[in-house]
Amino acid sequence: MAERLTCANHPNVATKVRCSKCGKPICTSCVIESPVGLRCRECAQLRRIPTYEVSPANYFKAAGTALGLGLVLGVGWIFLQGVRFLGGYLSFFIALGVGYVMGELVSLSVNRKGGRGLQIVAAGGVFVSYLVSRMPIETMVRVPSEIASLAAVGLSRSFFNVFGLVAVAIGIYIAASRIR
């Protein structure tokens, strides 16, 4: 009579399957299909793809890039908004361009790594750019004590522009899609 095998990880589960490398009995919830047979988790050596292994240093680089670029692109966005072109829809195309540039440069700053965290960082950079672009120009040339009150008035006046919010949402989508 054959001995009754139980899973090495789940002692109350009977099994007839063994790891093709080490021979350890494994149940159907522990089995990993590999090109050379069924393996246990230890022998299958599951690892993330190196592209998606993002270190904290990479996140700091990406966040610094997104913040700096967001400030620069936001100031550029302010000055380009004054240009009357395409019947006032230029801001929409600026948002698309900001999203593309943000995604590409954040991705380049971390050597083309990817993942959800870096997508969020790039999206945050686009949003910073949008916030800076909504500040009135007077805010940037006044003395620092007056900046807070002017920024609050300027942001409340122009922040809730539905067309601008839709444009920045699409810009965020583009930035996130540039980082896989």
Side-chain angles (χ1 to χ4, degrees), residues 70-146:
L71 293 173
V72 169
L73 292 175
V75 170
W77 194 342
I78 288 173
F79 292 109
L80 287 176
Q81 281 177 351
V83 176
R84 294 289 171 220
F85 182 69
L86 297 174
Y89 294 111
L90 183 62
S91 184
F92 181 76
F93 293 108
I94 293 170
L96 300 180
V98 166
Y100 182 83
V101 170
M102 184 67 67
E104 281 296 312
L105 291 182
V106 167
S107 179
L108 281 173
S109 73
V110 291
N111 199 21
R112 296 286 184 192
K113 290 197 177 286
R116 180 73 57 200
L118 292 175
Q119 289 176 334
I120 291 170
V121 169
V126 173
F127 193 70
V128 165
S129 179
Y130 177 71
L131 289 178
V132 169
S133 75
R134 295 296 151 210
M135 288 185 178
I137 293 177
E138 304 88 43
T139 304
M140 300 194 183
V141 294
R142 297 278 174 113
V143 292
S145 63
E146 298 174 9

Side-chain angles (χ1 to χ4, degrees), residues 159-172:
F159 183 76
F160 294 107
N161 176 359
V162 175
F163 186 72
L165 290 174
V166 168
V168 81
I170 294 172
I172 286 172

Side-chain angles (χ1 to χ4, degrees), residues 45-61:
Q45 297 179 354
L46 298 176
R47 287 187 219 129
R48 293 188 76 179
I49 299 172
T51 304
Y52 295 101
E53 289 181 5
V54 183
S55 68
N58 286 335
Y59 281 115
F60 284 119
K61 277 192 242 177

